[in-house]
Amino acid sequence: MQNLTKDLKSFYHSQHFSDGLRVTIGVLLPALLFSAMGQLMTGVTVALGAIGVSLADTPGPVVHKRNGMMVAIVVCGAAALLTGFARLHVVTLGLEILVLSFLSSMLVVYGLRASLIGLAALLVLILTMDRELEPLQILVYSGYVLLGGGWYLLLSLVSYQVFPYRAAQQALGECVLEVAKFLRFKASFYKQSPNWEMQYRQLVNQQILVSEKMDAMRELLFKTRQIMQESTPKGRALVLTFIDLVDLYEQITAIQYDYATMHDTFGQTGILEKIADQVKAQAQELETIGLAAQANALPKTAQDQVKQLEELKLAIDALGQIQPDRSTLVLKKVVVNLRAIGQRLNIMRTYFTEQTSPQVLKERLLDVNLFVNRQNLSPRLFLDNLTFTSSAFRFSVRVALVATFAFVLMQVFPYGQHSYWVLLTVIVLLKPAYSLTKKRNVERLLGTVIGAALGLLVLFLVENHTLQFVFLVLFMTGFYMVQRINYMLSVILMTPFMLILFSFLGGGGLIIVQERMVDTVIGCAIAFSATYFLFPNWESKQINQFLQKALLANLKYLQVLAKSLAGNTVTPLEYKLSRKHVYVHAANLSAAFQRMTGEPKSKQQNSGLVHELVVLNHVMSSYIATLVSERMEQANLLISENFLKTCRRAQGSLVEALKKLEAPANDLDLESVTVANPKPAAAPTSEEEQLLTDQLEFIRKVCADIQRLTESMAAPKAS
């Protein structure tokens, strides 16, 4: 119950809730105003323009949102105008569907916002093709679509001016909460009888979400001029909290040791359970900070982390006295890391209560331009992808052919008054990845059945039209709130909203439900079949590219470790850039593997090997993070050349693995690293050196395992 309350509170203060309210107001208000003047269909047309432009209003810097919505206004208006004239003849309408479906789908090469603008154009096309319009009415109709888009743009920009920091606060809170979940998954590794495979899968999947949220946060913060240049206390607090969150995430990742050995050595002592409880307590503290950031409020009183950590340290010291033959250094290292996390949490709390000077931000802020991705908007990118080697091109051809087929099918076998639902279902369901299309097919079918049942209950049990309208608004608002986070729930909410709407427009009842169900089934069948048979884009054929980038990022990260071991200077910029690349490419690899597991078994080449590589890649980067963070704090500690030799052998294994994956040769050239003032080579003389030896040897073994697995993947190709 407590978790449910926390989730509901988080959702109430999230971007999804406020965005859903804004879109509902933007769509519903013009429809109500024109309806009050006796021009309901005009209001529906204006609302259509608002719906199309709202698709471009995705989270991100306000300048990107504004530009995207302005483009969407033009695109939606043009689509309405073009469709109005094209629909005068079935052949010209079919040609428009073929061409516009292809061009709109190709916008995926320019990123998510551009692809949604393309979807908006197709949405306007589909909802216009059945409108009976005379040539002169077409101009007025497209003008109303433009009016609706302009109205929504104004609403969105005004809401930003009133609450300029709200989107960043909500995004930061969501990012903090995802890191807290990651920390909770880390705690599970200390529990008794761990399921290693399941826990690593959960951890890696959560890593994808954390990476997505952090990338979105970088875009929002570092590309928003008001936050970066005005230097207001609130803006500084947001930026500094995010910088500390990224460092905190690394410290969480650095709690990575040989868990199997730890359980063999300390599993029966109960100390690992105490560590797990402490990790979960810190996750709860992080959740408190995340919820406060979302709600623009002060976080609740903190738990006494210092006292809890001191009790844990005393328990470890007592264990060392009871079992003097067993080194407890690894447990002490965990406590040191947990203490660093606790200190970071305390610092993050101060940003809510104390004003930070601009100088502090200037000292902490590196060259932000190196940490954000730049979207290439050159027409050359579009032209370069006009080849069957491009997954975007194959997807666009598939959408164009299938949309045209669905249109022809509707003309040859017309069914009901809303047969365009087949085309709409196909357009919405078709995705570049087979696994996502399959998942959406199932969710669409189940959601439509459940939603239709809800809609019929409202229509038959609630006779009062005012109450029916209240339900319509509730379903509509809920749909816009969850459409980006839960597709099945959005379909469940959209279906009764549409049924009640059609009831107000003069239709409804069992006939409209039956028609919608039939059209949905037909659309799902077409979309699913096309994704499997028509220019499929199997993930196993692309997984090598993701593996290359992830292993190459870890190779560069390992180079940073080698430089720090050698006593060479590693700048914060170099270190944080290499760390960012590791996190991003590891998340991309994990996401690609997730998509691969959703494909037919016959298409999953080397899925077992890829899963092992995903886990080993994560373990390796976590171990490197552990050692690099320690070396950054002990830069003056003399190191034996033997340590560097182990590091070089690990690098050698990664280089060989990358060669097997056919990585570019120029990416494998590494800077030669030597120890400037080496300590005489000898056997480890302290627990600290022994632990470092064991950790480096573990990294070497992981790299050797990666080399072995890539050789196994390449073996069939060589034969």
Side-chain angles (χ1 to χ4, degrees), residues 28-50:
L28 194 59
L29 193 58
L32 291 177
L33 287 176
F34 279 95
S35 177
M37 295 185 291
Q39 300 183 44
L40 177 60
M41 292 312 297
T42 299
V44 171
T45 304
V46 176
L48 174 60

mmCIF file with all atom_site columns, all heavy atoms in Angstrom, residues 28-50:
data_model
loop_
_atom_site.group_PDB
_atom_site.id
_atom_site.type_symbol
_atom_site.label_atom_id
_atom_site.label_alt_id
_atom_site.label_comp_id
_atom_site.label_asym_id
_atom_site.label_entity_id
_atom_site.label_seq_id
_atom_site.pdbx_PDB_ins_code
_atom_site.Cartn_x
_atom_site.Cartn_y
_atom_site.Cartn_z
_atom_site.occupancy
_atom_site.B_iso_or_equiv
_atom_site.pdbx_formal_charge
_atom_site.auth_seq_id
_atom_site.auth_comp_id
_atom_site.auth_asym_id
_atom_site.auth_atom_id
_atom_site.pdbx_PDB_model_num
ATOM 1   N N   . LEU A 1 28 ? -9.915  19.850 -25.873 1.00 0.00 ? 28 LEU A N   1
ATOM 2   C CA  . LEU A 1 28 ? -11.328 19.895 -25.483 1.00 0.00 ? 28 LEU A CA  1
ATOM 3   C C   . LEU A 1 28 ? -11.912 21.304 -25.541 1.00 0.00 ? 28 LEU A C   1
ATOM 4   O O   . LEU A 1 28 ? -13.074 21.486 -25.953 1.00 0.00 ? 28 LEU A O   1
ATOM 5   C CB  . LEU A 1 28 ? -11.483 19.326 -24.068 1.00 0.00 ? 28 LEU A CB  1
ATOM 6   C CG  . LEU A 1 28 ? -12.897 18.976 -23.602 1.00 0.00 ? 28 LEU A CG  1
ATOM 7   C CD1 . LEU A 1 28 ? -13.517 17.935 -24.522 1.00 0.00 ? 28 LEU A CD1 1
ATOM 8   C CD2 . LEU A 1 28 ? -12.865 18.467 -22.168 1.00 0.00 ? 28 LEU A CD2 1
ATOM 9   N N   . LEU A 1 29 ? -11.146 22.297 -25.151 1.00 0.00 ? 29 LEU A N   1
ATOM 10  C CA  . LEU A 1 29 ? -11.678 23.654 -25.055 1.00 0.00 ? 29 LEU A CA  1
ATOM 11  C C   . LEU A 1 29 ? -12.207 24.195 -26.387 1.00 0.00 ? 29 LEU A C   1
ATOM 12  O O   . LEU A 1 29 ? -13.338 24.716 -26.434 1.00 0.00 ? 29 LEU A O   1
ATOM 13  C CB  . LEU A 1 29 ? -10.608 24.590 -24.473 1.00 0.00 ? 29 LEU A CB  1
ATOM 14  C CG  . LEU A 1 29 ? -11.095 25.969 -24.026 1.00 0.00 ? 29 LEU A CG  1
ATOM 15  C CD1 . LEU A 1 29 ? -12.195 25.837 -22.977 1.00 0.00 ? 29 LEU A CD1 1
ATOM 16  C CD2 . LEU A 1 29 ? -9.929  26.788 -23.472 1.00 0.00 ? 29 LEU A CD2 1
ATOM 17  N N   . PRO A 1 30 ? -11.441 24.118 -27.485 1.00 0.00 ? 30 PRO A N   1
ATOM 18  C CA  . PRO A 1 30 ? -12.009 24.624 -28.747 1.00 0.00 ? 30 PRO A CA  1
ATOM 19  C C   . PRO A 1 30 ? -13.244 23.852 -29.192 1.00 0.00 ? 30 PRO A C   1
ATOM 20  O O   . PRO A 1 30 ? -14.184 24.451 -29.752 1.00 0.00 ? 30 PRO A O   1
ATOM 21  C CB  . PRO A 1 30 ? -10.859 24.459 -29.746 1.00 0.00 ? 30 PRO A CB  1
ATOM 22  C CG  . PRO A 1 30 ? -9.931  23.475 -29.146 1.00 0.00 ? 30 PRO A CG  1
ATOM 23  C CD  . PRO A 1 30 ? -10.052 23.649 -27.663 1.00 0.00 ? 30 PRO A CD  1
ATOM 24  N N   . ALA A 1 31 ? -13.265 22.532 -28.938 1.00 0.00 ? 31 ALA A N   1
ATOM 25  C CA  . ALA A 1 31 ? -14.445 21.744 -29.317 1.00 0.00 ? 31 ALA A CA  1
ATOM 26  C C   . ALA A 1 31 ? -15.671 22.213 -28.545 1.00 0.00 ? 31 ALA A C   1
ATOM 27  O O   . ALA A 1 31 ? -16.772 22.341 -29.110 1.00 0.00 ? 31 ALA A O   1
ATOM 28  C CB  . ALA A 1 31 ? -14.182 20.265 -29.053 1.00 0.00 ? 31 ALA A CB  1
ATOM 29  N N   . LEU A 1 32 ? -15.499 22.510 -27.241 1.00 0.00 ? 32 LEU A N   1
ATOM 30  C CA  . LEU A 1 32 ? -16.625 22.971 -26.427 1.00 0.00 ? 32 LEU A CA  1
ATOM 31  C C   . LEU A 1 32 ? -17.084 24.365 -26.848 1.00 0.00 ? 32 LEU A C   1
ATOM 32  O O   . LEU A 1 32 ? -18.290 24.643 -26.913 1.00 0.00 ? 32 LEU A O   1
ATOM 33  C CB  . LEU A 1 32 ? -16.222 22.971 -24.944 1.00 0.00 ? 32 LEU A CB  1
ATOM 34  C CG  . LEU A 1 32 ? -16.014 21.602 -24.300 1.00 0.00 ? 32 LEU A CG  1
ATOM 35  C CD1 . LEU A 1 32 ? -15.541 21.756 -22.858 1.00 0.00 ? 32 LEU A CD1 1
ATOM 36  C CD2 . LEU A 1 32 ? -17.294 20.781 -24.350 1.00 0.00 ? 32 LEU A CD2 1
ATOM 37  N N   . LEU A 1 33 ? -16.122 25.249 -27.124 1.00 0.00 ? 33 LEU A N   1
ATOM 38  C CA  . LEU A 1 33 ? -16.472 26.616 -27.506 1.00 0.00 ? 33 LEU A CA  1
ATOM 39  C C   . LEU A 1 33 ? -17.264 26.644 -28.815 1.00 0.00 ? 33 LEU A C   1
ATOM 40  O O   . LEU A 1 33 ? -18.302 27.313 -28.913 1.00 0.00 ? 33 LEU A O   1
ATOM 41  C CB  . LEU A 1 33 ? -15.208 27.465 -27.633 1.00 0.00 ? 33 LEU A CB  1
ATOM 42  C CG  . LEU A 1 33 ? -14.514 27.842 -26.312 1.00 0.00 ? 33 LEU A CG  1
ATOM 43  C CD1 . LEU A 1 33 ? -13.218 28.591 -26.582 1.00 0.00 ? 33 LEU A CD1 1
ATOM 44  C CD2 . LEU A 1 33 ? -15.433 28.683 -25.443 1.00 0.00 ? 33 LEU A CD2 1
ATOM 45  N N   . PHE A 1 34 ? -16.782 25.932 -29.815 1.00 0.00 ? 34 PHE A N   1
ATOM 46  C CA  . PHE A 1 34 ? -17.490 25.920 -31.097 1.00 0.00 ? 34 PHE A CA  1
ATOM 47  C C   . PHE A 1 34 ? -18.814 25.168 -30.991 1.00 0.00 ? 34 PHE A C   1
ATOM 48  O O   . PHE A 1 34 ? -19.788 25.513 -31.668 1.00 0.00 ? 34 PHE A O   1
ATOM 49  C CB  . PHE A 1 34 ? -16.601 25.301 -32.185 1.00 0.00 ? 34 PHE A CB  1
ATOM 50  C CG  . PHE A 1 34 ? -15.600 26.256 -32.760 1.00 0.00 ? 34 PHE A CG  1
ATOM 51  C CD1 . PHE A 1 34 ? -14.311 26.304 -32.271 1.00 0.00 ? 34 PHE A CD1 1
ATOM 52  C CD2 . PHE A 1 34 ? -15.956 27.121 -33.784 1.00 0.00 ? 34 PHE A CD2 1
ATOM 53  C CE1 . PHE A 1 34 ? -13.376 27.191 -32.793 1.00 0.00 ? 34 PHE A CE1 1
ATOM 54  C CE2 . PHE A 1 34 ? -15.032 28.015 -34.312 1.00 0.00 ? 34 PHE A CE2 1
ATOM 55  C CZ  . PHE A 1 34 ? -13.735 28.055 -33.808 1.00 0.00 ? 34 PHE A CZ  1
ATOM 56  N N   . SER A 1 35 ? -18.850 24.145 -30.143 1.00 0.00 ? 35 SER A N   1
ATOM 57  C CA  . SER A 1 35 ? -20.103 23.408 -29.940 1.00 0.00 ? 35 SER A CA  1
ATOM 58  C C   . SER A 1 35 ? -21.157 24.310 -29.318 1.00 0.00 ? 35 SER A C   1
ATOM 59  O O   . SER A 1 35 ? -22.346 24.242 -29.672 1.00 0.00 ? 35 SER A O   1
ATOM 60  C CB  . SER A 1 35 ? -19.855 22.195 -29.044 1.00 0.00 ? 35 SER A CB  1
ATOM 61  O OG  . SER A 1 35 ? -21.056 21.503 -28.772 1.00 0.00 ? 35 SER A OG  1
ATOM 62  N N   . ALA A 1 36 ? -20.724 25.178 -28.382 1.00 0.00 ? 36 ALA A N   1
ATOM 63  C CA  . ALA A 1 36 ? -21.654 26.118 -27.746 1.00 0.00 ? 36 ALA A CA  1
ATOM 64  C C   . ALA A 1 36 ? -22.226 27.102 -28.757 1.00 0.00 ? 36 ALA A C   1
ATOM 65  O O   . ALA A 1 36 ? -23.338 27.629 -28.569 1.00 0.00 ? 36 ALA A O   1
ATOM 66  C CB  . ALA A 1 36 ? -20.942 26.871 -26.627 1.00 0.00 ? 36 ALA A CB  1
ATOM 67  N N   . MET A 1 37 ? -21.474 27.340 -29.853 1.00 0.00 ? 37 MET A N   1
ATOM 68  C CA  . MET A 1 37 ? -21.951 28.237 -30.914 1.00 0.00 ? 37 MET A CA  1
ATOM 69  C C   . MET A 1 37 ? -22.704 27.482 -32.003 1.00 0.00 ? 37 MET A C   1
ATOM 70  O O   . MET A 1 37 ? -23.000 28.028 -33.066 1.00 0.00 ? 37 MET A O   1
ATOM 71  C CB  . MET A 1 37 ? -20.761 28.991 -31.526 1.00 0.00 ? 37 MET A CB  1
ATOM 72  C CG  . MET A 1 37 ? -20.079 29.940 -30.544 1.00 0.00 ? 37 MET A CG  1
ATOM 73  S SD  . MET A 1 37 ? -18.765 30.937 -31.309 1.00 0.00 ? 37 MET A SD  1
ATOM 74  C CE  . MET A 1 37 ? -17.533 29.670 -31.652 1.00 0.00 ? 37 MET A CE  1
ATOM 75  N N   . GLY A 1 38 ? -22.971 26.188 -31.757 1.00 0.00 ? 38 GLY A N   1
ATOM 76  C CA  . GLY A 1 38 ? -23.702 25.389 -32.722 1.00 0.00 ? 38 GLY A CA  1
ATOM 77  C C   . GLY A 1 38 ? -22.866 24.907 -33.890 1.00 0.00 ? 38 GLY A C   1
ATOM 78  O O   . GLY A 1 38 ? -23.406 24.544 -34.937 1.00 0.00 ? 38 GLY A O   1
ATOM 79  N N   . GLN A 1 39 ? -21.525 24.883 -33.735 1.00 0.00 ? 39 GLN A N   1
ATOM 80  C CA  . GLN A 1 39 ? -20.629 24.452 -34.807 1.00 0.00 ? 39 GLN A CA  1
ATOM 81  C C   . GLN A 1 39 ? -19.696 23.343 -34.289 1.00 0.00 ? 39 GLN A C   1
ATOM 82  O O   . GLN A 1 39 ? -18.484 23.498 -34.231 1.00 0.00 ? 39 GLN A O   1
ATOM 83  C CB  . GLN A 1 39 ? -19.794 25.633 -35.318 1.00 0.00 ? 39 GLN A CB  1
ATOM 84  C CG  . GLN A 1 39 ? -20.628 26.769 -35.880 1.00 0.00 ? 39 GLN A CG  1
ATOM 85  C CD  . GLN A 1 39 ? -19.767 27.890 -36.438 1.00 0.00 ? 39 GLN A CD  1
ATOM 86  O OE1 . GLN A 1 39 ? -18.782 27.648 -37.128 1.00 0.00 ? 39 GLN A OE1 1
ATOM 87  N NE2 . GLN A 1 39 ? -20.139 29.119 -36.127 1.00 0.00 ? 39 GLN A NE2 1
ATOM 88  N N   . LEU A 1 40 ? -20.314 22.228 -33.900 1.00 0.00 ? 40 LEU A N   1
ATOM 89  C CA  . LEU A 1 40 ? -19.560 21.137 -33.295 1.00 0.00 ? 40 LEU A CA  1
ATOM 90  C C   . LEU A 1 40 ? -18.476 20.593 -34.230 1.00 0.00 ? 40 LEU A C   1
ATOM 91  O O   . LEU A 1 40 ? -17.340 20.373 -33.817 1.00 0.00 ? 40 LEU A O   1
ATOM 92  C CB  . LEU A 1 40 ? -20.512 20.006 -32.883 1.00 0.00 ? 40 LEU A CB  1
ATOM 93  C CG  . LEU A 1 40 ? -19.831 18.754 -32.296 1.00 0.00 ? 40 LEU A CG  1
ATOM 94  C CD1 . LEU A 1 40 ? -19.041 19.103 -31.051 1.00 0.00 ? 40 LEU A CD1 1
ATOM 95  C CD2 . LEU A 1 40 ? -20.876 17.681 -31.995 1.00 0.00 ? 40 LEU A CD2 1
ATOM 96  N N   . MET A 1 41 ? -18.799 20.373 -35.512 1.00 0.00 ? 41 MET A N   1
ATOM 97  C CA  . MET A 1 41 ? -17.821 19.792 -36.434 1.00 0.00 ? 41 MET A CA  1
ATOM 98  C C   . MET A 1 41 ? -16.648 20.750 -36.672 1.00 0.00 ? 41 MET A C   1
ATOM 99  O O   . MET A 1 41 ? -15.517 20.308 -36.864 1.00 0.00 ? 41 MET A O   1
ATOM 100 C CB  . MET A 1 41 ? -18.489 19.436 -37.762 1.00 0.00 ? 41 MET A CB  1
ATOM 101 C CG  . MET A 1 41 ? -19.485 18.289 -37.656 1.00 0.00 ? 41 MET A CG  1
ATOM 102 S SD  . MET A 1 41 ? -18.834 16.853 -36.765 1.00 0.00 ? 41 MET A SD  1
ATOM 103 C CE  . MET A 1 41 ? -17.483 16.361 -37.844 1.00 0.00 ? 41 MET A CE  1
ATOM 104 N N   . THR A 1 42 ? -16.920 22.044 -36.635 1.00 0.00 ? 42 THR A N   1
ATOM 105 C CA  . THR A 1 42 ? -15.812 23.005 -36.726 1.00 0.00 ? 42 THR A CA  1
ATOM 106 C C   . THR A 1 42 ? -14.902 22.869 -35.512 1.00 0.00 ? 42 THR A C   1
ATOM 107 O O   . THR A 1 42 ? -13.671 22.890 -35.627 1.00 0.00 ? 42 THR A O   1
ATOM 108 C CB  . THR A 1 42 ? -16.360 24.444 -36.815 1.00 0.00 ? 42 THR A CB  1
ATOM 109 O OG1 . THR A 1 42 ? -17.164 24.570 -37.981 1.00 0.00 ? 42 THR A OG1 1
ATOM 110 C CG2 . THR A 1 42 ? -15.221 25.451 -36.866 1.00 0.00 ? 42 THR A CG2 1
ATOM 111 N N   . GLY A 1 43 ? -15.522 22.715 -34.347 1.00 0.00 ? 43 GLY A N   1
ATOM 112 C CA  . GLY A 1 43 ? -14.735 22.511 -33.129 1.00 0.00 ? 43 GLY A CA  1
ATOM 113 C C   . GLY A 1 43 ? -13.903 21.247 -33.192 1.00 0.00 ? 43 GLY A C   1
ATOM 114 O O   . GLY A 1 43 ? -12.752 21.224 -32.733 1.00 0.00 ? 43 GLY A O   1
ATOM 115 N N   . VAL A 1 44 ? -14.472 20.181 -33.756 1.00 0.00 ? 44 VAL A N   1
ATOM 116 C CA  . VAL A 1 44 ? -13.734 18.926 -33.908 1.00 0.00 ? 44 VAL A CA  1
ATOM 117 C C   . VAL A 1 44 ? -12.537 19.120 -34.837 1.00 0.00 ? 44 VAL A C   1
ATOM 118 O O   . VAL A 1 44 ? -11.447 18.582 -34.603 1.00 0.00 ? 44 VAL A O   1
ATOM 119 C CB  . VAL A 1 44 ? -14.662 17.815 -34.439 1.00 0.00 ? 44 VAL A CB  1
ATOM 120 C CG1 . VAL A 1 44 ? -13.860 16.571 -34.813 1.00 0.00 ? 44 VAL A CG1 1
ATOM 121 C CG2 . VAL A 1 44 ? -15.725 17.469 -33.402 1.00 0.00 ? 44 VAL A CG2 1
ATOM 122 N N   . THR A 1 45 ? -12.712 19.928 -35.889 1.00 0.00 ? 45 THR A N   1
ATOM 123 C CA  . THR A 1 45 ? -11.620 20.192 -36.826 1.00 0.00 ? 45 THR A CA  1
ATOM 124 C C   . THR A 1 45 ? -10.489 20.974 -36.149 1.00 0.00 ? 45 THR A C   1
ATOM 125 O O   . THR A 1 45 ? -9.302  20.656 -36.315 1.00 0.00 ? 45 THR A O   1
ATOM 126 C CB  . THR A 1 45 ? -12.131 20.983 -38.045 1.00 0.00 ? 45 THR A CB  1
ATOM 127 O OG1 . THR A 1 45 ? -13.193 20.260 -38.655 1.00 0.00 ? 45 THR A OG1 1
ATOM 128 C CG2 . THR A 1 45 ? -11.017 21.201 -39.055 1.00 0.00 ? 45 THR A CG2 1
ATOM 129 N N   . VAL A 1 46 ? -10.849 21.987 -35.378 1.00 0.00 ? 46 VAL A N   1
ATOM 130 C CA  . VAL A 1 46 ? -9.842  22.754 -34.630 1.00 0.00 ? 46 VAL A CA  1
ATOM 131 C C   . VAL A 1 46 ? -9.125  21.839 -33.633 1.00 0.00 ? 46 VAL A C   1
ATOM 132 O O   . VAL A 1 46 ? -7.905  21.912 -33.468 1.00 0.00 ? 46 VAL A O   1
ATOM 133 C CB  . VAL A 1 46 ? -10.496 23.947 -33.905 1.00 0.00 ? 46 VAL A CB  1
ATOM 134 C CG1 . VAL A 1 46 ? -9.470  24.681 -33.040 1.00 0.00 ? 46 VAL A CG1 1
ATOM 135 C CG2 . VAL A 1 46 ? -11.106 24.912 -34.916 1.00 0.00 ? 46 VAL A CG2 1
ATOM 136 N N   . ALA A 1 47 ? -9.896  20.966 -32.975 1.00 0.00 ? 47 ALA A N   1
ATOM 137 C CA  . ALA A 1 47 ? -9.301  20.020 -32.021 1.00 0.00 ? 47 ALA A CA  1
ATOM 138 C C   . ALA A 1 47 ? -8.332  19.075 -32.720 1.00 0.00 ? 47 ALA A C   1
ATOM 139 O O   . ALA A 1 47 ? -7.296  18.694 -32.152 1.00 0.00 ? 47 ALA A O   1
ATOM 140 C CB  . ALA A 1 47 ? -10.402 19.222 -31.324 1.00 0.00 ? 47 ALA A CB  1
ATOM 141 N N   . LEU A 1 48 ? -8.643  18.702 -33.975 1.00 0.00 ? 48 LEU A N   1
ATOM 142 C CA  . LEU A 1 48 ? -7.741  17.830 -34.735 1.00 0.00 ? 48 LEU A CA  1
ATOM 143 C C   . LEU A 1 48 ? -6.388  18.506 -34.936 1.00 0.00 ? 48 LEU A C   1
ATOM 144 O O   . LEU A 1 48 ? -5.335  17.867 -34.792 1.00 0.00 ? 48 LEU A O   1
ATOM 145 C CB  . LEU A 1 48 ? -8.372  17.483 -36.084 1.00 0.00 ? 48 LEU A CB  1
ATOM 146 C CG  . LEU A 1 48 ? -7.498  16.683 -37.063 1.00 0.00 ? 48 LEU A CG  1
ATOM 147 C CD1 . LEU A 1 48 ? -7.102  15.343 -36.463 1.00 0.00 ? 48 LEU A CD1 1
ATOM 148 C CD2 . LEU A 1 48 ? -8.230  16.484 -38.393 1.00 0.00 ? 48 LEU A CD2 1
ATOM 149 N N   . GLY A 1 49 ? -6.401  19.806 -35.252 1.00 0.00 ? 49 GLY A N   1
ATOM 150 C CA  . GLY A 1 49 ? -5.143  20.539 -35.387 1.00 0.00 ? 49 GLY A CA  1
ATOM 151 C C   . GLY A 1 49 ? -4.373  20.566 -34.086 1.00 0.00 ? 49 GLY A C   1
ATOM 152 O O   . GLY A 1 49 ? -3.137  20.419 -34.068 1.00 0.00 ? 49 GLY A O   1
ATOM 153 N N   . ALA A 1 50 ? -5.083  20.732 -32.974 1.00 0.00 ? 50 ALA A N   1
ATOM 154 C CA  . ALA A 1 50 ? -4.427  20.743 -31.664 1.00 0.00 ? 50 ALA A CA  1
ATOM 155 C C   . ALA A 1 50 ? -3.827  19.378 -31.333 1.00 0.00 ? 50 ALA A C   1
ATOM 156 O O   . ALA A 1 50 ? -2.713  19.286 -30.794 1.00 0.00 ? 50 ALA A O   1
ATOM 157 C CB  . ALA A 1 50 ? -5.430  21.159 -30.586 1.00 0.00 ? 50 ALA A CB  1
#
